[in-house]
Amino acid sequence: MTIAEPFFREAGSGPAVVCLHSNASSSAQWRGLIDLLATNHRVFAPDLYGSGKSPDWHSDREIALQDEVNFIEPVLARAGSPVTLVGHSHGAAVALMAALAKPARIRSLVLYEPTLFAVVEAQGASTNGVDGIRNAVTAASAALDMGDCDAAARHFIDYWMGDGSWGATPPQRKPAIVESVANVRRWAHALTTEPTPVQAFAALDMPVLYMLGASSPESAHAVARVLLPVLPAANVVEFPGLGHMAPVTHPDVVNAEIARFLAEL
């Protein structure tokens, strides 16, 4: 049986950095960061399951974050130790789980709004800060069931980027996003049912850069409020006026902060 392996980009030489992208995206979102860091780092950026040039997962409804970690293990092994993991959104949640699985090989973590909604759900409140994304997933799933993939993408993108964002998306970019959003239930399953208790992340005592957009949806900030108190060495940077997709919409601002953090390690 052929074992599926991810497509990945690689450039530069020096301390290893592995970059993990958000949902409805691919490793291409890190091209600017790769160019910036490759002068003095060896940078890797894999495509997660069903993204970019990587093979798809077998289900559009269920996956575990550990499955994503296992998928990128060949890239992590190639990067060697120690390695810095950079992650955005879903990719940041995968980075957290990869660090927890083998903390000894992690030099540092760079996280832009990890969407580990399970740590909020575990608080037990009937309503909480992830209600918004839960409702967006429900609406997108209903649209998928009706065969309206464009509407599904609109529910998802407009939640994260603001009303009207899908309509303003360049037409040439839409097909890949529409195709990826078919897996919105799978993403939600991974991020809301992860059983790891939040206190487990207290073991991640390596330097952490935790970035937030001041204009991001409440769900991203709700995760931060639960997760940040248990991370022993987290440095928090909040970008005024930027949102959840800032690594894509304002890469120069975010990438400069990442480069500064790495230079000070």
Side-chain angles (χ1 to χ4, degrees):
M1 183 179 68
T2 301
I3 299 175
E5 292 195 2
F7 169 85
F8 63 93
R9 303 167 189 267
E10 179 181 355
S13 61
V17 178
V18 175
C19 306
L20 306 176
H21 62 82
S22 66
N23 284 329
S25 186
S26 73
S27 60
Q29 80 167 70
W30 297 117
R31 284 179 295 193
L33 183 62
I34 292 170
D35 291 343
L36 180 62
L37 297 182
T39 54
N40 50 19
H41 292 83
R42 188 180 181 197
V43 190
F44 301 81
D47 288 335
L48 298 176
Y49 271 121
S51 301
K53 298 180 181 180
S54 280
D56 204 1
W57 178 249
H58 59 79
S59 170
D60 65 355
R61 294 175 185 258
E62 293 187 5
I63 195 171
L65 290 174
Q66 188 59 46
D67 294 319
E68 299 273 25
V69 173
N70 294 343
F71 182 56
I72 64 169
E73 176 57 34
V75 180
L76 297 175
R78 184 178 177 88
S81 178
V83 62
T84 291
L85 300 183
V86 177
H88 170 213
S89 191
H90 184 95
V94 175
L96 280 166
M97 297 307 298
L100 203 59
K102 295 184 179 180
R105 71 176 173 187
I106 307 301
R107 181 188 188 202
S108 63
L109 287 171
V110 175
L111 310 171
Y112 194 101
E113 296 187 349
T115 47
L116 191 59
F117 304 127
V119 299
V120 180
E121 298 280 38
Q123 305 300 300
S126 57
T127 59
N128 58 46
V130 303
D131 290 342
I133 183 58
R134 191 187 305 110
N135 293 339
V137 169
T138 298
S141 299
L144 288 173
D145 290 340
M146 294 179 66
D148 193 343
C149 298
D150 188 83
R154 175 172 54 80
H155 287 299
F156 185 76
I157 297 300
D158 282 7
Y159 173 77
W160 285 117
M161 300 185 69
D163 291 343
S165 294
W166 179 242
T169 300
Q172 66 271 21
R173 291 186 56 204
K174 284 188 171 182
I177 297 173
V178 167
E179 183 178 1
S180 69
V181 170
N183 295 313
V184 67
R185 284 174 284 211
R186 178 169 93 196
W187 303 336
H189 181 270
L191 296 168
T192 61
T193 67
E194 173 54 49
T196 303
V198 68
Q199 287 300 325
F201 297 100
L204 302 181
D205 59 357
M206 66 285 295
V208 176
L209 172 61
Y210 196 116
M211 294 177 285
L212 291 159
S215 299
S216 295
E218 166 60 15
S219 62
H221 289 272
V223 173
R225 287 195 297 271
V226 176
L227 192 55
L228 278 171
V230 306
L231 292 173
N235 175 40
V236 182
V237 173
E238 184 169 282
F239 297 102
L242 299 191
H244 182 68
M245 294 305 294
V248 175
T249 61
H250 296 78
D252 291 347
V253 176
V254 175
N255 293 347
E257 191 64 37
I258 295 172
R260 180 203 60 75
F261 173 76
L262 293 177
E264 294 177 357
L265 289 176

